[in-house]
Amino acid sequence: LVGTFTSMKMAVGRALYYAGRLAGWSPELRTTLLGRQSSLAALGSSYWVSHRNVVMDPRVDPDADPTQFDQKRRQRSHLTPGEEVARIQTRIRAGISGVNLMSEYNTIIVKGLPLSLQMYHTFFTGFTSPRARVEETFTLYSDMRKYGIRPDVKLFNKIMKGCNRSQHPKKVFWLWEEMQRDETRPDLETYKELLAACAVNEETVTRATVVWESMIKAGVEPVDTIYACIIDCCRVRRDLQDGLKIFKGISDSKRGRETYHATIRLCGALKNLEKAEELFEELKADPSGRASPFGHGAMFLAYVWNLRVDDAIGVMTDWRNTGGNAAFLPGD
């Protein structure tokens, strides 16, 4: 919605700019008038200032400065293929508004620019955002394979993370099979994403035992986030006793915030609010600073799941009183 609203404002800004040009306003008058009307009009002014001398072609825009335009064009034409790819990667890493990842990628392919594993790492970082489309992600993955570039474990982890964020657990397991075919050794982050995929629904949770056994066989030592995923699997299986048993069996050095959050969610989902409240108070009182907005969020959900609305509001108020932003709570 924010992106759509911004695009609409820019469209209005462009319309105001061209309306002023067609009306015969001088550049100075346009800047003065548009800059004083409103935020939308100011956008028209900023559009003129930012585009007239930098990217507008003088053959299209009579107000453009031919000298600066030719200078910019010469700068781009002197880039080597490697430098051009690096420029595109920099734009993506900087998170420049309006950068279309598929468009930038197609530019590289059409121009025959050099491809590399590092370049694909940059693109997959953009494609695995929460709002990314999985179809585009796997189009990119298929292309990478077609061009003979073999992904490493970090790249597999990025794609798995994107699949989990967009609720596509089966894609995560498919990628695990790809890793096995490539003989790519999974690391701790890989198993975390696999177990997170197991905790999505009753169908995927049946794979949790296989993933856990594979992790132990590979010699990967479980940590706080891994235990949290296992406890989330217990929640999906609706096995309160097993989840609490796992929680109690974790050593203090490995029992961190994520484990507490998962166990609070487990107790809340399976109607054991007394235990959830006990863990929440223990988390808040911990001197190591394990309390976080996500702990409040877990307790908030526990109350909501049990229709304890007043208590849920109390958790939100408590977090606000500690200086926190209540917007974090529903997001947990």
Side-chain angles (χ1 to χ4, degrees):
L1 289 176
V2 172
T4 303
F5 182 62
T6 303
S7 299
M8 290 173 63
K9 289 199 299 182
M10 289 304 297
V12 173
R14 288 194 293 271
L16 288 169
Y17 160 65
Y18 284 112
R21 198 181 73 182
L22 291 172
W25 298 352
S26 67
E28 293 76 15
L29 180 60
R30 254 179 283 166
T31 303
T32 302
L33 292 179
L34 292 178
R36 288 181 180 176
Q37 297 301 316
S38 65
S39 60
L40 288 175
L43 277 170
S45 177
S46 64
Y47 178 83
W48 170 70
V49 170
S50 62
H51 286 66
R52 183 177 70 92
N53 293 329
V54 179
V55 298
M56 294 301 289
D57 190 331
R59 294 169 295 181
V60 177
D61 186 351
D63 288 333
D65 186 331
T67 304
Q68 291 194 19
F69 177 80
D70 290 340
Q71 182 182 3
K72 189 70 174 179
R73 183 169 55 185
R74 283 196 301 273
Q75 289 174 353
R76 290 184 178 178
S77 64
H78 290 162
L79 292 176
T80 65
E83 289 172 339
E84 191 163 357
V85 171
R87 182 179 67 86
I88 292 173
Q89 288 180 263
T90 300
R91 282 164 52 81
I92 295 171
R93 290 194 193 102
I96 296 176
S97 176
V99 173
N100 185 309
L101 293 175
M102 279 308 291
S103 176
E104 297 285 1
Y105 177 71
N106 289 334
T107 297
I108 291 175
I109 298 301
V110 170
K111 289 186 175 182
L113 298 176
L115 305 175
S116 66
L117 181 61
Q118 181 189 16
M119 185 211 74
Y120 279 105
H121 265 287
T122 302
F123 275 95
F124 276 115
T125 299
F127 273 120
T128 54
S129 66
R131 290 180 290 181
R133 289 180 288 185
V134 175
E135 296 79 8
E136 291 182 345
T137 302
F138 280 89
T139 297
L140 201 69
Y141 178 82
S142 177
D143 268 13
M144 180 181 62
R145 287 294 199 176
K146 181 175 69 176
Y147 292 120
I149 297 177
R150 181 177 173 178
D152 58 7
V153 64
K154 291 183 178 179
L155 193 57
F156 275 117
N157 293 345
K158 283 182 181 179
I159 307 174
M160 286 181 173
K161 187 173 185 177
C163 293
N164 275 329
R165 284 180 168 180
S166 54
Q167 295 292 301
H168 285 80
K170 291 183 179 180
K171 298 281 189 184
V172 176
F173 297 120
W174 181 82
L175 288 166
W176 189 28
E177 293 173 1
E178 287 277 286
M179 292 182 72
Q180 292 170 337
R181 282 192 287 269
D182 284 354
E183 297 183 353
T184 302
R185 185 175 180 178
D187 60 9
L188 181 65
E189 187 66 22
T190 308
Y191 286 112
K192 172 185 172 295
E193 297 301 336
L194 286 166
L195 289 169
C198 292
V200 171
N201 55 48
E202 294 180 357
E203 179 184 355
T204 58
V205 78
T206 58
R207 295 174 177 254
T209 303
V210 175
V211 174
W212 176 265
E213 290 175 351
S214 173
M215 183 183 72
I216 298 302
K217 184 178 179 180
V220 177
E221 190 73 17
V223 295
D224 177 42
T225 52
I226 295 292
Y227 286 119
C229 290
I230 291 294
I231 293 171
D232 278 333
C233 288
C234 293
R235 174 172 53 83
V236 173
R237 290 190 288 118
R238 305 192 66 79
D239 190 341
L240 176 64
Q241 297 305 318
D242 199 16
L244 291 175
K245 182 179 178 181
I246 291 171
F247 177 80
K248 291 176 182 177
I250 303 170
S251 63
D252 290 340
S253 61
K254 294 183 179 179
R255 187 187 296 167
R257 290 188 304 185
E258 296 292 335
T259 307
Y260 270 93
H261 302 165
T263 310
I264 291 171
R265 289 193 296 267
L266 167 74
C267 295
L270 301 182
K271 312 302 180 184
N272 191 340
L273 274 179
E274 183 178 349
K275 184 63 177 178
E277 290 171 335
E278 177 187 331
L279 292 171
F280 182 52
E281 292 302 321
E282 185 179 332
L283 181 64
K284 289 199 299 180
D286 192 283
S288 65
R290 285 193 292 213
S292 75
F294 299 105
H296 283 71
M299 196 65 234
F300 177 84
L301 287 175
Y303 282 132
V304 169
W305 288 335
N306 288 272
L307 303 180
R308 296 267 293 270
V309 179
D310 290 340
D311 290 319
I313 294 173
V315 170
M316 184 181 294
T317 303
D318 179 53
W319 174 243
R320 279 178 174 161
N321 290 339
T322 61
N325 184 352
F328 283 107
L329 299 186
D332 187 61

PDB file of all heavy atoms in Angstrom, residues 135-148:
ATOM      1  N   GLU A 135       7.258 -17.480  -7.468  1.00  0.00           N
ATOM      2  CA  GLU A 135       7.419 -17.852  -8.867  1.00  0.00           C
ATOM      3  C   GLU A 135       8.668 -17.194  -9.462  1.00  0.00           C
ATOM      4  O   GLU A 135       9.441 -17.833 -10.183  1.00  0.00           O
ATOM      5  CB  GLU A 135       6.177 -17.455  -9.677  1.00  0.00           C
ATOM      6  CG  GLU A 135       4.903 -18.178  -9.282  1.00  0.00           C
ATOM      7  CD  GLU A 135       4.257 -17.606  -8.032  1.00  0.00           C
ATOM      8  OE1 GLU A 135       4.735 -16.540  -7.568  1.00  0.00           O
ATOM      9  OE2 GLU A 135       3.313 -18.231  -7.519  1.00  0.00           O
ATOM     10  N   GLU A 136       8.865 -15.909  -9.152  1.00  0.00           N
ATOM     11  CA  GLU A 136      10.031 -15.202  -9.668  1.00  0.00           C
ATOM     12  C   GLU A 136      11.318 -15.762  -9.069  1.00  0.00           C
ATOM     13  O   GLU A 136      12.344 -15.872  -9.748  1.00  0.00           O
ATOM     14  CB  GLU A 136       9.914 -13.707  -9.360  1.00  0.00           C
ATOM     15  CG  GLU A 136       8.822 -13.001 -10.152  1.00  0.00           C
ATOM     16  CD  GLU A 136       8.774 -11.516  -9.859  1.00  0.00           C
ATOM     17  OE1 GLU A 136       9.381 -11.098  -8.844  1.00  0.00           O
ATOM     18  OE2 GLU A 136       8.150 -10.777 -10.624  1.00  0.00           O
ATOM     19  N   THR A 137      11.248 -16.128  -7.802  1.00  0.00           N
ATOM     20  CA  THR A 137      12.421 -16.695  -7.135  1.00  0.00           C
ATOM     21  C   THR A 137      12.885 -17.960  -7.844  1.00  0.00           C
ATOM     22  O   THR A 137      14.071 -18.141  -8.120  1.00  0.00           O
ATOM     23  CB  THR A 137      12.107 -17.009  -5.662  1.00  0.00           C
ATOM     24  OG1 THR A 137      11.693 -15.813  -5.006  1.00  0.00           O
ATOM     25  CG2 THR A 137      13.310 -17.583  -4.951  1.00  0.00           C
ATOM     26  N   PHE A 138      11.944 -18.838  -8.178  1.00  0.00           N
ATOM     27  CA  PHE A 138      12.331 -20.099  -8.795  1.00  0.00           C
ATOM     28  C   PHE A 138      12.602 -19.954 -10.287  1.00  0.00           C
ATOM     29  O   PHE A 138      13.295 -20.799 -10.871  1.00  0.00           O
ATOM     30  CB  PHE A 138      11.279 -21.168  -8.500  1.00  0.00           C
ATOM     31  CG  PHE A 138      11.438 -21.747  -7.122  1.00  0.00           C
ATOM     32  CD1 PHE A 138      10.797 -21.178  -6.039  1.00  0.00           C
ATOM     33  CD2 PHE A 138      12.281 -22.816  -6.900  1.00  0.00           C
ATOM     34  CE1 PHE A 138      10.974 -21.686  -4.768  1.00  0.00           C
ATOM     35  CE2 PHE A 138      12.473 -23.331  -5.630  1.00  0.00           C
ATOM     36  CZ  PHE A 138      11.812 -22.763  -4.550  1.00  0.00           C
ATOM     37  N   THR A 139      12.098 -18.904 -10.907  1.00  0.00           N
ATOM     38  CA  THR A 139      12.514 -18.592 -12.279  1.00  0.00           C
ATOM     39  C   THR A 139      13.993 -18.250 -12.290  1.00  0.00           C
ATOM     40  O   THR A 139      14.763 -18.706 -13.147  1.00  0.00           O
ATOM     41  CB  THR A 139      11.694 -17.411 -12.834  1.00  0.00           C
ATOM     42  OG1 THR A 139      10.316 -17.781 -12.906  1.00  0.00           O
ATOM     43  CG2 THR A 139      12.182 -17.017 -14.218  1.00  0.00           C
ATOM     44  N   LEU A 140      14.392 -17.454 -11.316  1.00  0.00           N
ATOM     45  CA  LEU A 140      15.801 -17.077 -11.186  1.00  0.00           C
ATOM     46  C   LEU A 140      16.660 -18.303 -10.876  1.00  0.00           C
ATOM     47  O   LEU A 140      17.759 -18.473 -11.433  1.00  0.00           O
ATOM     48  CB  LEU A 140      15.943 -16.032 -10.079  1.00  0.00           C
ATOM     49  CG  LEU A 140      17.199 -15.164 -10.100  1.00  0.00           C
ATOM     50  CD1 LEU A 140      17.182 -14.225 -11.279  1.00  0.00           C
ATOM     51  CD2 LEU A 140      17.309 -14.353  -8.813  1.00  0.00           C
ATOM     52  N   TYR A 141      16.163 -19.161  -9.998  1.00  0.00           N
ATOM     53  CA  TYR A 141      16.910 -20.367  -9.628  1.00  0.00           C
ATOM     54  C   TYR A 141      17.092 -21.280 -10.846  1.00  0.00           C
ATOM     55  O   TYR A 141      18.180 -21.814 -11.086  1.00  0.00           O
ATOM     56  CB  TYR A 141      16.176 -21.114  -8.514  1.00  0.00           C
ATOM     57  CG  TYR A 141      16.851 -22.397  -8.087  1.00  0.00           C
ATOM     58  CD1 TYR A 141      17.919 -22.373  -7.193  1.00  0.00           C
ATOM     59  CD2 TYR A 141      16.436 -23.618  -8.598  1.00  0.00           C
ATOM     60  CE1 TYR A 141      18.552 -23.548  -6.812  1.00  0.00           C
ATOM     61  CE2 TYR A 141      17.062 -24.803  -8.225  1.00  0.00           C
ATOM     62  CZ  TYR A 141      18.120 -24.762  -7.331  1.00  0.00           C
ATOM     63  OH  TYR A 141      18.755 -25.922  -6.964  1.00  0.00           O
ATOM     64  N   SER A 142      16.029 -21.433 -11.637  1.00  0.00           N
ATOM     65  CA  SER A 142      16.101 -22.265 -12.836  1.00  0.00           C
ATOM     66  C   SER A 142      17.105 -21.705 -13.833  1.00  0.00           C
ATOM     67  O   SER A 142      17.881 -22.462 -14.444  1.00  0.00           O
ATOM     68  CB  SER A 142      14.708 -22.359 -13.477  1.00  0.00           C
ATOM     69  OG  SER A 142      14.752 -23.094 -14.678  1.00  0.00           O
ATOM     70  N   ASP A 143      17.115 -20.382 -13.995  1.00  0.00           N
ATOM     71  CA  ASP A 143      18.076 -19.745 -14.901  1.00  0.00           C
ATOM     72  C   ASP A 143      19.503 -19.977 -14.432  1.00  0.00           C
ATOM     73  O   ASP A 143      20.408 -20.252 -15.238  1.00  0.00           O
ATOM     74  CB  ASP A 143      17.805 -18.239 -14.974  1.00  0.00           C
ATOM     75  CG  ASP A 143      16.864 -17.876 -16.101  1.00  0.00           C
ATOM     76  OD1 ASP A 143      16.243 -18.802 -16.660  1.00  0.00           O
ATOM     77  OD2 ASP A 143      16.732 -16.674 -16.420  1.00  0.00           O
ATOM     78  N   MET A 144      19.720 -19.844 -13.136  1.00  0.00           N
ATOM     79  CA  MET A 144      21.050 -20.028 -12.584  1.00  0.00           C
ATOM     80  C   MET A 144      21.562 -21.431 -12.888  1.00  0.00           C
ATOM     81  O   MET A 144      22.734 -21.621 -13.285  1.00  0.00           O
ATOM     82  CB  MET A 144      21.011 -19.792 -11.072  1.00  0.00           C
ATOM     83  CG  MET A 144      22.341 -19.961 -10.377  1.00  0.00           C
ATOM     84  SD  MET A 144      22.227 -19.686  -8.604  1.00  0.00           S
ATOM     85  CE  MET A 144      21.095 -21.002  -8.151  1.00  0.00           C
ATOM     86  N   ARG A 145      20.696 -22.417 -12.737  1.00  0.00           N
ATOM     87  CA  ARG A 145      21.061 -23.791 -13.042  1.00  0.00           C
ATOM     88  C   ARG A 145      21.344 -23.959 -14.541  1.00  0.00           C
ATOM     89  O   ARG A 145      22.295 -24.634 -14.940  1.00  0.00           O
ATOM     90  CB  ARG A 145      19.936 -24.734 -12.620  1.00  0.00           C
ATOM     91  CG  ARG A 145      19.802 -24.916 -11.118  1.00  0.00           C
ATOM     92  CD  ARG A 145      21.015 -25.622 -10.578  1.00  0.00           C
ATOM     93  NE  ARG A 145      20.777 -26.220  -9.283  1.00  0.00           N
ATOM     94  CZ  ARG A 145      21.651 -26.962  -8.627  1.00  0.00           C
ATOM     95  NH1 ARG A 145      22.835 -27.195  -9.152  1.00  0.00           N
ATOM     96  NH2 ARG A 145      21.377 -27.449  -7.449  1.00  0.00           N
ATOM     97  N   LYS A 146      20.518 -23.317 -15.349  1.00  0.00           N
ATOM     98  CA  LYS A 146      20.673 -23.429 -16.804  1.00  0.00           C
ATOM     99  C   LYS A 146      22.010 -22.873 -17.267  1.00  0.00           C
ATOM    100  O   LYS A 146      22.632 -23.407 -18.191  1.00  0.00           O
ATOM    101  CB  LYS A 146      19.525 -22.674 -17.489  1.00  0.00           C
ATOM    102  CG  LYS A 146      19.561 -22.741 -19.007  1.00  0.00           C
ATOM    103  CD  LYS A 146      18.334 -22.068 -19.600  1.00  0.00           C
ATOM    104  CE  LYS A 146      18.378 -20.568 -19.378  1.00  0.00           C
ATOM    105  NZ  LYS A 146      17.238 -19.878 -20.033  1.00  0.00           N
ATOM    106  N   TYR A 147      22.480 -21.807 -16.609  1.00  0.00           N
ATOM    107  CA  TYR A 147      23.749 -21.202 -16.987  1.00  0.00           C
ATOM    108  C   TYR A 147      24.950 -21.850 -16.300  1.00  0.00           C
ATOM    109  O   TYR A 147      26.066 -21.356 -16.390  1.00  0.00           O
ATOM    110  CB  TYR A 147      23.726 -19.705 -16.679  1.00  0.00           C
ATOM    111  CG  TYR A 147      22.763 -18.945 -17.557  1.00  0.00           C
ATOM    112  CD1 TYR A 147      21.707 -18.239 -16.999  1.00  0.00           C
ATOM    113  CD2 TYR A 147      22.904 -18.945 -18.944  1.00  0.00           C
ATOM    114  CE1 TYR A 147      20.811 -17.547 -17.797  1.00  0.00           C
ATOM    115  CE2 TYR A 147      22.014 -18.260 -19.755  1.00  0.00           C
ATOM    116  CZ  TYR A 147      20.972 -17.560 -19.178  1.00  0.00           C
ATOM    117  OH  TYR A 147      20.091 -16.887 -19.970  1.00  0.00           O
ATOM    118  N   GLY A 148      24.701 -22.968 -15.619  1.00  0.00           N
ATOM    119  CA  GLY A 148      25.798 -23.751 -15.070  1.00  0.00           C
ATOM    120  C   GLY A 148      26.390 -23.217 -13.783  1.00  0.00           C
ATOM    121  O   GLY A 148      27.517 -23.578 -13.431  1.00  0.00           O
TER     122      GLY A 148
END
